[in-house]
Amino acid sequence: YPLRSHDHLLLSANLAPSQNYDAALDQILLQYNNPLTREWLFGALEQLTISPADGSLEFAIESGDSAHNLKRITANFIFARDKQIKFFADTLRFNAGQKIRVFYSYRFTSETIRHFLETSRLKIAQEWVSPSGQEALFLCRRAT
């Protein structure tokens, strides 16, 4: 079991409607593919000495879990030139064209998150869904 009998798990999930799922993801992608999000993600990349001159961020919608037709929004940094990065005691080498996954966000539907929790042997005790229906919190307990 993922939890002991007396444990609780507070889980946050990004949601999309099951009707028009692909069209909804196209709209959600725009919430990520914008200057503010790029600046936020580059903050992490700059800590690795990666600059915009080294390449570009590319946002996409990718297939994730094919059993549930679950997809995710991704942001990958694609190197435009060869780059070496010192990471603690290691040196990482990237060639032009290689990528680093910087961010991803699975988009569940109400049905897929419930199935995911059920197959994980979790029971929803309470839930809170944002007015937009795109974000939710689930208070879970171990299923008996």
Side-chain angles (χ1 to χ4, degrees):
Y1 286 96
L3 298 176
R4 295 173 296 189
S5 62
H6 60 280
D7 289 343
H8 286 84
L9 172 68
L10 185 61
L11 176 79
S12 170
N14 297 313
L15 301 176
S18 53
Q19 294 179 327
N20 302 315
Y21 181 70
D22 289 332
L25 287 180
D26 288 338
Q27 291 302 307
I28 292 167
L29 178 65
L30 299 175
Q31 296 173 11
Y32 291 100
N33 190 6
N34 61 65
L36 267 173
T37 302
R38 287 174 179 279
E39 183 179 333
W40 173 62
L41 293 173
F42 260 108
L45 291 169
E46 287 170 350
Q47 295 299 310
L48 298 171
T49 69
I50 297 172
S51 74
D54 294 318
S56 61
L57 278 172
E58 292 186 8
F59 290 81
I61 298 169
E62 296 179 352
S63 293
D65 178 353
S66 60
H68 299 101
N69 194 27
L70 191 59
K71 296 184 179 179
R72 63 183 171 236
I73 307 277
T74 62
N76 293 307
F77 183 81
I78 313 295
F79 287 92
R81 59 186 181 192
D82 294 350
K83 176 78 176 181
Q84 290 187 16
I85 299 169
K86 185 98 169 142
F87 188 73
F88 294 105
D90 295 323
T91 299
L92 306 172
R93 291 174 177 80
F94 295 91
N95 296 320
Q98 283 188 294
K99 67 181 177 180
I100 295 177
R101 167 83 30 93
V102 181
F103 171 86
Y104 68 90
S105 174
Y106 278 97
R107 285 296 169 152
F108 292 89
T109 65
S110 290
E111 297 81 16
T112 57
I113 190 67
R114 289 176 192 290
H115 183 262
F116 172 78
L117 293 171
E118 182 181 299
T119 58
S120 299
R121 297 186 280 189
L122 295 170
K123 177 182 175 183
I124 299 171
Q126 284 186 277
E127 65 183 83
W128 301 268
V129 180
S130 69
S132 70
Q134 291 185 11
E135 306 289 333
L137 286 174
F138 297 94
L139 182 63
C140 301
R141 298 198 57 157
R142 187 171 100 178
T144 54

